[in-house]
Amino acid sequence: MKLLVVGAGLTGAVIAREMAEAGHSALVIDERDHIAGNCHTEPDPDTGVMVHVYGPHIFHTDDDIVWKYINRFGEMMPYKNRVKATVGGSVYSLPINLHTINQLYGKAMSPDEARSFITSEADTSIDDPQTFEEQALKFVGPKIYKAFFHGYTKKQWGVEPSELPASILKRLPLRFNYEDNYFNHKHQGMPKHGYTKIVQNILDHKNIEIRLNLRSEDFAGDFDHTVYSGALDRWFDHKFGRLSYRTLRFEKFHYDGDYQGTAVMNYCDEAVPYTRISEHKHFAPWNSEEFEKTTCFKEFSAACGPDDIPFYPVRLVHDKALLQKYIETAKQESRVTFAGRLGTYSYLDMDVSIKRALETAGAIKAMWKTGGDTLAFVHDPL
């Protein structure tokens, strides 16, 4: 069977590999001039530092199968994501932990004391928080909310926190100890030779062909099935309107020496136009001392226009209503499956992208065995 895969990111690469190993042929196309999508990495020509071209990507998962899978195609080095935040001229640790709390309030509380103190700070008048702002105030109270969440969130999403759903904040941790590892997952790491090398190895199979600089709209061919990992509304030529995405803009600069001493520094004050600065040599601590010069990126978030690269979906009320229309229309299609972050209009970490790609490939193989041709979604976008 012949498969067309639109998009050479993690989702497309894993699906193509699974189908190729099952004896099918796969053509993978991408409109960019490189593979690996938004997790593309390459050495900076001026410093030699391996940079995450579209922003920081840290691999973390509790899924043993996914961890084994990515290690099959590249060496994963130990890496802990220890984020810092600049607020009002002071530097704090994130996620919010006991050190952050004590520093912000000028205290030296124990875990139990801090827990009781934050409870007293929280807005207990909010019974059922519906918005990001209400959830934050109920969760941590006004001072922490104003310091770390209000300005940063407004910059990141382009709307007031009072317009965002409470669910966005529910995934942000609050700790009453001094642990500053941003993630709690069992497996955490960074590819020694970058993510692009891993994707290249995944796509390295005799049954896989890759063509770059090729838009799906400009390509015609005879295939038994298509896996589309581009933007869902784009497949339908935005017939119902455009789904809302946020895009990111980066300003690269170099510095002689060590610029900030950490990989990621958030800037939570609303007056600072960028959300964070990433210093990429610190994503590879095993060789960060080798570089005399360092490469940094200021990161700016903005609404995604027609010519911008979509990074993550907004998924507000209007978008969910629009998404429902596209889902219903997509289910009428035959011989096409929508997958990945853009194809399902979902926020997916890399480990979830791999897991879902493996499941999608399995579903397509099962469908072909029964002679079916309709499988719009393996995972419900809603």
Side-chain angles (χ1 to χ4, degrees), residues 168-225:
I168 293 176
L169 185 60
K170 289 178 181 176
R171 62 174 177 260
L172 298 178
L174 175 67
R175 298 176 183 156
F176 294 98
N177 57 32
Y178 290 100
E179 175 58 61
D180 65 348
N181 180 7
Y182 199 83
F183 301 111
N184 288 318
H185 292 101
K186 176 169 58 174
H187 305 295
Q188 302 178 43
M190 193 71 71
K192 185 174 184 179
H193 302 292
Y195 289 105
T196 296
K197 181 62 177 177
I198 285 181
V199 175
Q200 180 183 358
N201 290 341
I202 294 173
L203 290 169
D204 184 14
H205 192 282
K206 64 180 181 178
N207 291 342
I208 297 176
E209 179 186 354
I210 307 166
R211 297 186 196 175
L212 302 177
N213 299 302
L214 182 60
R215 299 190 335 147
S216 59
E217 294 92 334
D218 301 328
F219 178 77
D222 186 19
F223 295 89
D224 297 292
H225 199 77

Side-chain angles (χ1 to χ4, degrees), residues 99-256:
H99 188 197
T100 315
I101 296 167
N102 278 328
Q103 185 182 359
L104 181 66
Y105 288 96
K107 296 181 179 294
M109 294 179 283
S110 69
D112 288 342
E113 289 171 337
R115 194 182 303 273
S116 177
F117 178 78
I118 293 300
T119 299
S120 72
E121 288 283 290
D123 188 341
T124 57
S125 69
I126 302 173
D127 293 325
D128 184 20
Q130 296 298 308
T131 70
F132 181 103
E133 182 170 88
E134 289 177 345
Q135 178 71 6
L137 292 173
K138 180 179 175 63
F139 197 33
V140 296
K143 188 166 184 174
I144 291 179
Y145 166 64
K146 285 292 185 181
F148 299 105
F149 296 128
H150 180 267
Y152 188 90
T153 302
K154 190 173 179 180
K155 291 188 291 185
Q156 186 178 31
W157 291 95
V159 297
E160 291 290 341
S162 58
E163 299 177 50
L164 293 169
S167 58
I168 293 176
L169 185 60
K170 289 178 181 176
R171 62 174 177 260
L172 298 178
L174 175 67
R175 298 176 183 156
F176 294 98
N177 57 32
Y178 290 100
E179 175 58 61
D180 65 348
N181 180 7
Y182 199 83
F183 301 111
N184 288 318
H185 292 101
K186 176 169 58 174
H187 305 295
Q188 302 178 43
M190 193 71 71
K192 185 174 184 179
H193 302 292
Y195 289 105
T196 296
K197 181 62 177 177
I198 285 181
V199 175
Q200 180 183 358
N201 290 341
I202 294 173
L203 290 169
D204 184 14
H205 192 282
K206 64 180 181 178
N207 291 342
I208 297 176
E209 179 186 354
I210 307 166
R211 297 186 196 175
L212 302 177
N213 299 302
L214 182 60
R215 299 190 335 147
S216 59
E217 294 92 334
D218 301 328
F219 178 77
D222 186 19
F223 295 89
D224 297 292
H225 199 77
T226 296
V227 171
Y228 180 77
S229 65
L232 176 61
D233 52 342
R234 178 173 165 179
W235 175 270
F236 297 102
D237 198 25
H238 310 100
K239 63 186 293 185
F240 302 121
R242 291 183 177 273
L243 291 166
S244 300
Y245 290 92
R246 298 296 286 175
T247 191
L248 299 176
R249 178 174 61 84
F250 303 94
E251 288 185 4
K252 182 171 74 171
F253 64 95
H254 299 114
Y255 181 80
D256 290 326

Side-chain angles (χ1 to χ4, degrees), residues 184-370:
N184 288 318
H185 292 101
K186 176 169 58 174
H187 305 295
Q188 302 178 43
M190 193 71 71
K192 185 174 184 179
H193 302 292
Y195 289 105
T196 296
K197 181 62 177 177
I198 285 181
V199 175
Q200 180 183 358
N201 290 341
I202 294 173
L203 290 169
D204 184 14
H205 192 282
K206 64 180 181 178
N207 291 342
I208 297 176
E209 179 186 354
I210 307 166
R211 297 186 196 175
L212 302 177
N213 299 302
L214 182 60
R215 299 190 335 147
S216 59
E217 294 92 334
D218 301 328
F219 178 77
D222 186 19
F223 295 89
D224 297 292
H225 199 77
T226 296
V227 171
Y228 180 77
S229 65
L232 176 61
D233 52 342
R234 178 173 165 179
W235 175 270
F236 297 102
D237 198 25
H238 310 100
K239 63 186 293 185
F240 302 121
R242 291 183 177 273
L243 291 166
S244 300
Y245 290 92
R246 298 296 286 175
T247 191
L248 299 176
R249 178 174 61 84
F250 303 94
E251 288 185 4
K252 182 171 74 171
F253 64 95
H254 299 114
Y255 181 80
D256 290 326
D258 193 340
Y259 181 75
Q260 62 187 22
T262 189
V264 178
M265 177 70 73
N266 286 3
Y267 287 83
C268 301
D269 296 323
E270 187 178 346
V272 179
Y274 42 88
T275 56
R276 59 184 178 175
I277 294 178
S278 53
E279 186 171 3
H280 287 237
K281 74 175 184 178
H282 291 299
F283 290 123
W286 56 89
N287 66 355
S288 61
E289 298 302 320
E290 297 178 9
F291 302 101
E292 295 182 2
K293 294 184 66 176
T294 191
T295 303
C296 300
F297 289 84
K298 291 181 179 178
E299 185 173 317
F300 302 79
S301 178
C304 186
D307 299 323
D308 294 323
I309 297 173
F311 279 79
Y312 53 93
V314 178
R315 291 182 74 98
L316 296 182
V317 174
H318 167 76
D319 298 299
K320 289 186 177 181
L322 195 58
L323 175 61
Q324 184 64 59
K325 291 183 180 181
Y326 282 116
I327 291 174
E328 292 170 357
T329 306
K331 288 180 177 179
Q332 305 306 311
E333 297 275 295
S334 62
R335 301 201 303 170
V336 59
T337 298
F338 300 91
R341 176 181 287 196
L342 300 183
T344 61
Y345 195 61
S346 305
Y347 187 93
L348 306 176
D349 286 331
M350 287 182 290
D351 63 323
V352 179
S353 294
I354 291 174
K355 179 179 178 62
R356 289 192 173 191
L358 292 170
E359 293 169 349
T360 298
I364 294 173
K365 286 184 281 189
M367 178 187 68
W368 279 354
K369 284 184 179 180
T370 61

